[in-house]
Amino acid sequence: MKQGTAIIIGAGPAGLTAALELERHTGIKPVVLEAGHEIGGLARTVVYKGNRMDIGGHRFFSKSDRVMQWWLDLMPIKAGHGSEGQLGYHGERRDVPASNSPAPVNEDLVMLVRDRKSRIYFLRRFFDYPIRPTADTLRKLGAVRTLRASASYLRSALLPRRPERTLEDFLINRFGRQLYLTFFKSYTEKIWGIPCSEISAAWGAQRIKGLSLKGVIAHFLRKTLAPRNSGGLAQKKTETSLVERFLYPKLGPGQLWEHVASLVEKGGGEVRLGVRVDRVNIDGNKVVSVEGVNEAGERTTYSGEYFFSTMPVKDLIRAIAAGVPAEVAEVSEGLM
């Protein structure tokens, strides 16, 4: 069995998964270094005045049985919460995996099966997202905006933007310029900090998949005309992004990673928060140590036999003390 120390930069899902797997399958001791003071990276859940708030609505769904079982071994599905049926995410469907884990000692340390519900706040009102052409939506938009949106969509359907290079092109072609300006433009730019005209259309195809106004209307008509009680967990023939069902930790996505961090420490590993790695020391072609600085400005060197980095590529390249080829540094500095 392999022995030694593994220095892992970042206490997000990737870093913590690596740490726990090393403990489970090797004799290697993981030391996780995290610049922030919270566990989970972008999947963390922040506690503020007793309230748990997710940085993002992370959904627990994978086509991999191994990944699903890994999660459920840590946090089994709560009894009676969707123990039968199917999960759905981004057009993929799978049965709810059976959990062979014993009942949790902590009743909060469980997964729930949840349906997606997303809404946009606009005109001091909440609109379902994706936008649905219901009587409630039309009433909230008003007659004038509805007519403008309809005319704008017809214009885009007849004269689509070609070639479709940017996310702006992608959204306008599928929803019309009026709905794009009303619901998508400012929302997307606030979330990602980049103008839609500078984001690739391929990004939209990945994030939104087959969603379009045409698909939304077709889904609405099918749902309206379908016989009652014909639905079900399978969500057959449902447009991607319109209905989704997924696993979700009871206290937010960060709960699972906080649990993983506690298991790493119980297994003899270390999770050190507030340590910002800013230097990677190399001897020949081998990493021999990294250096981190805490909030007090104290610098510590961490040596080991194995090194894992989940920090942003730009920060990693900057931290490599031996220097990197100019073309590599140029590409790295261009990353957002």
Side-chain angles (χ1 to χ4, degrees):
M1 181 178 288
K2 291 184 178 180
Q3 304 290 327
T5 300
I7 307 300
I8 301 172
I9 305 172
L16 290 170
T17 299
L20 188 57
E21 288 295 284
L22 285 172
E23 281 190 346
R24 285 175 168 177
H25 303 293
T26 74
I28 297 171
K29 174 187 174 180
V31 177
V32 182
L33 307 177
E34 168 59 42
H37 289 275
E38 283 136 352
I39 298 296
L42 289 177
R44 66 188 181 274
T45 299
V46 176
V47 180
Y48 178 73
K49 294 185 177 180
N51 299 296
R52 296 180 65 88
M53 297 176 288
D54 302 335
I55 295 299
H58 294 266
R59 304 176 183 105
F60 287 74
F61 178 94
S62 175
K63 290 182 287 183
S64 166
D65 290 336
R66 183 182 178 189
V67 172
M68 295 293 285
Q69 194 59 53
W70 198 89
W71 289 331
L72 291 176
D73 285 343
L74 294 166
M75 298 179 66
I77 297 176
K78 184 175 182 179
H81 281 248
S83 56
E84 298 179 353
Q86 286 191 334
L87 303 175
Y89 180 66
H90 275 197
E92 300 291 342
R93 298 287 178 264
R94 64 164 299 142
D95 293 332
V96 176
S99 177
N100 299 319
S101 304
V105 176
N106 183 347
E107 64 178 14
D108 287 334
L109 200 62
V110 293
M111 289 280 193
L112 308 179
V113 177
R114 284 290 178 259
D115 295 328
R116 169 180 174 170
K117 183 173 180 63
S118 300
R119 296 190 294 175
I120 293 176
Y121 188 62
F122 178 69
L123 298 175
R124 296 181 179 274
R125 293 170 177 146
F126 284 105
F127 291 80
D128 285 338
Y129 178 83
I131 304 301
R132 293 171 171 78
T134 62
D136 182 63
T137 299
L138 301 181
R139 178 180 58 79
K140 290 176 179 177
L141 274 178
V144 174
R145 285 190 180 87
T146 298
L147 289 173
R148 287 177 179 172
S150 301
S152 176
Y153 172 70
L154 289 174
R155 188 180 302 114
S156 294
L158 294 172
L159 299 170
R161 292 189 172 195
R162 293 289 184 267
E164 193 176 83
R165 292 195 178 96
T166 69
L167 181 62
E168 181 174 272
D169 298 334
F170 180 92
L171 290 171
I172 289 177
N173 284 348
R174 284 156 182 77
F175 294 92
R177 184 174 182 80
Q178 189 65 38
L179 283 178
Y180 162 70
L181 293 175
T182 301
F183 291 109
F184 294 100
K185 185 177 186 296
S186 61
Y187 168 80
T188 302
E189 293 178 355
K190 285 175 183 176
I191 291 293
W192 298 103
I194 306 171
C196 292
S197 59
E198 296 179 16
I199 300 177
S200 169
W203 184 91
Q206 173 61 31
R207 294 286 296 185
I208 305 175
K209 299 284 184 179
L211 182 62
S212 65
L213 188 58
K214 177 182 176 181
V216 170
I217 294 173
H219 170 72
F220 169 72
L221 291 176
R222 280 199 303 269
K223 184 176 179 181
T224 302
L225 299 176
R228 289 187 178 182
N229 302 321
S230 63
L233 284 169
Q235 305 175 78
K236 294 178 181 179
K237 298 182 180 180
T238 298
E239 184 66 43
T240 300
S241 295
L242 291 176
V243 174
E244 294 178 352
R245 184 168 287 105
F246 46 84
L247 299 179
Y248 200 78
K250 183 176 179 180
L251 301 182
Q255 180 190 18
L256 181 134
W257 304 113
E258 292 161 10
H259 179 48
V260 172
S262 70
L263 292 177
V264 169
E265 292 181 320
K266 288 178 182 177
E270 299 178 29
V271 179
R272 302 190 181 185
L273 304 180
V275 178
R276 181 174 55 84
V277 173
D278 64 356
R279 190 176 181 87
V280 178
N281 299 315
I282 297 176
D283 183 6
N285 286 325
K286 184 179 180 181
V287 176
V288 293
S289 65
V290 302
E291 297 178 25
V293 181
N294 63 20
E295 290 183 332
E298 299 168 336
R299 180 173 293 275
T300 303
T301 299
Y302 301 89
S303 301
E305 290 71 40
Y306 307 93
F307 296 86
F308 296 76
S309 173
T310 68
M311 68 196 298
V313 172
K314 183 186 294 186
D315 295 339
L316 175 64
I317 297 300
R318 288 175 176 174
I320 296 178
V324 297
E327 60 270 24
V328 175
E330 181 180 359
V331 171
S332 173
E333 289 299 320
L335 297 174
M336 294 182 181

